[in-house]
Amino acid sequence: MLRKATIDDIEKIYKLINDFAAKNVMLPRSLSELYENIRDFFVYIKDDTLVGCAALHIFWKDLAEIKSVAVLESCQHEGIGKKLVMVCKREARKLRIAKMFVLTYVPEFFEKCGFRRVEKETLPHKIWSECVKCHKFPDCGEIPLIYELNKNNGRGTAS
Ligand SMILES: CC(C)(COP(=O)(O)OP(=O)(O)OC[C@H]1O[C@@H](n2cnc3c(N)ncnc32)[C@H](O)[C@@H]1OP(=O)(O)O)[C@@H](O)C(=O)NCCC(=O)NCCS
């Protein structure tokens, strides 16, 4: 089941994200960052257990970032990651956001979700102000991809 995150989910989201961050496959998030941004988060619940999360963070009038997409290893390859991306797209559409971007080490997964690779320099300067706060700046190695919601409006929510 997919739903918006609640306060009770935050410590589980923290563990899910930071267990992956410890393996260097995604960036870590602090508890305070998660509490402050709780309204960005969706979670996936399977058998009463939180097994996945994703966040949609609004950047600017025409731009949102999808971040912290994670699915528990034992539940991967069941379509949960794709569903989490889909629900973020749906919310971005509702908010009338034109474009979503992601910075990721798994571009192939996001390509399967309809995103396309772009040069980092083509993203607005606003994102760099966030990047400079990151301990991996400037050599994070993350690959930027975008998804244009207007162009893909007629295609439903499947991609
Ligand atoms: C990346 C991740 C979220 C994918 O979650 P998932 O639930 O396994 O993904 P899905 O089952 O929805 O897969 C959707 C599609 O992407 C493909 N895919 C999934 N993970 C992939 C990967 N690592 N590399 C390439 N393709 C991948 C699947 O084969 C599937 O393809 P299909 O539609 O042709 O069947 C998950 O592997 C994960 O949590 N990884 C660790 C954290 C991470 O790297 N997060 C991304 C940070 S931005």
Side-chain angles (χ1 to χ4, degrees):
M1 177 192 64
L2 266 173
R3 60 163 172 77
K4 288 291 274 189
T6 66
I7 285 294
D8 300 332
D9 298 323
I10 292 296
E11 287 183 12
K12 293 165 201 156
I13 295 174
Y14 176 78
K15 180 163 171 31
L16 183 62
I17 293 174
N18 289 296
D19 282 354
F20 282 124
K23 296 179 194 160
N24 260 325
V25 297
M26 65 194 296
L27 296 178
R29 301 279 168 217
S30 69
L31 270 175
S32 75
E33 200 181 349
L34 294 176
Y35 283 119
E36 283 173 26
N37 294 290
I38 183 171
R39 280 176 292 208
D40 286 354
F41 274 87
F42 290 94
V43 292
Y44 193 95
I45 310 293
K46 185 181 171 187
D47 301 332
D48 291 330
T49 304
L50 189 155
V51 299
C53 66
L56 179 78
H57 186 71
I58 310 302
F59 249 94
W60 205 243
K61 82 169 185 187
D62 56 354
L63 188 69
E65 178 179 12
I66 182 161
K67 56 204 287 191
S68 301
V69 184
V71 175
L72 199 67
E73 229 150 56
S74 58
C75 297
Q76 289 179 3
H77 301 290
E78 295 176 14
I80 295 173
K82 210 168 185 176
K83 282 184 189 151
L84 284 159
V85 172
M86 256 162 51
V87 78
C88 290
K89 285 181 186 173
R90 200 176 305 149
E91 178 156 279
R93 277 202 186 90
K94 268 195 216 155
L95 291 167
R96 301 181 59 76
I97 299 277
K99 207 184 287 179
M100 290 162 71
F101 76 93
V102 64
L103 295 166
T104 183
Y105 297 120
V106 283
E108 297 84 2
F109 164 70
F110 286 95
E111 282 172 334
K112 292 273 174 148
C113 296
F115 284 68
R116 68 178 168 86
R117 294 184 199 217
V118 289
E119 294 298 323
K120 208 168 186 176
E121 293 69 31
T122 64
L123 294 173
H125 282 128
K126 176 87 171 77
I127 77 150
W128 295 102
S129 60
E130 291 291 313
C131 283
V132 292
K133 292 183 208 156
C134 175
H135 72 284
K136 289 198 175 179
F137 182 80
D139 297 316
C140 68
E142 288 194 317
I143 294 162
L145 297 95
I146 65 159
Y147 183 86
E148 281 158 276
L149 290 140
N150 293 339
K151 280 192 186 163
N152 295 285
N153 247 348
R155 294 207 338 230
T157 52
S159 59

